[in-house]
Amino acid sequence: MPSQPVSAHRALASDKRMAMVRMLQRLGRPLGADEIALEVGLHVNTVREHLDRLIESGLVTTETERRRTRGRPRILYSATAELEEPNDARARDQLIRALLAGYSTAGATPPDAADRACINVPAEPAEPAEECGRAWAAQLAQECPPPGHAEVIARAHEARLQLDDLRRHMEDLGFAPEADPDSLQVHLHRCPFIDLVGQSSDVMCQVHLGLSRGVLEQHDGPIVAEWLERFVGPHHCVLRLGERPAPDRLDGAAHS
């Protein structure tokens, strides 16, 4: 059976995959699976599994290595989009360039053509500071990420918070949880209340399902608890999760 596509926020719900995407962004060049494994401290086979998920979600792309020597070329991996990397250094650079270009006078050395074309500052602005700010805003607008990008990142962040919180609560209660973001399951390898179940297993399991739903609802995230599969093995239950559909931004705009 073919695997189902992985949405971006589900792919990024894994800390390991988030670290891989950030690392590929930071280095800014294609890397082989072996190099990525060294960077993130995981076995190369585990890294390949994570990379497959990132490729399915559209966050990573591949290319074949060009070799001038004999040997099988490697598959190289690159990040396809930025997440929410800090922009402090880039913003400072843009501000300095805008001010230098905007406040140039007739007797001063004018900014070079590349700077003027980049920020589109008029030669003699009536209000230099405000005009520089407007030109900077126009440039930033051209660099905005594609529509929906911020929503994907926000949902991924909330999904990770939900799963981390659920795992922590279940761990504190003694369920020995193991979360699998890809299959949207939480394996509970131990039931600390097995001696209390007796003839009331339905009631006890419904309480645990309600607890899981309540924990997930503490966050405005996409993950929901759908049902609890009881005793798939000795003391082993599986909490089946699901996803709320992403809000339709166009519908929201139409009703506003």
Side-chain angles (χ1 to χ4, degrees), residues 67 69 204:
R67 298 176 63 99
T69 59
M204 187 66 70

Side-chain angles (χ1 to χ4, degrees), residues 183-204:
S183 61
L184 286 178
Q185 298 177 4
V186 178
H187 293 268
L188 307 174
H189 293 289
R190 178 177 177 271
C191 180
F193 307 107
I194 191 67
D195 57 322
L196 301 178
V197 171
Q199 301 299 317
S200 304
S201 61
D202 289 347
V203 174
M204 187 66 70

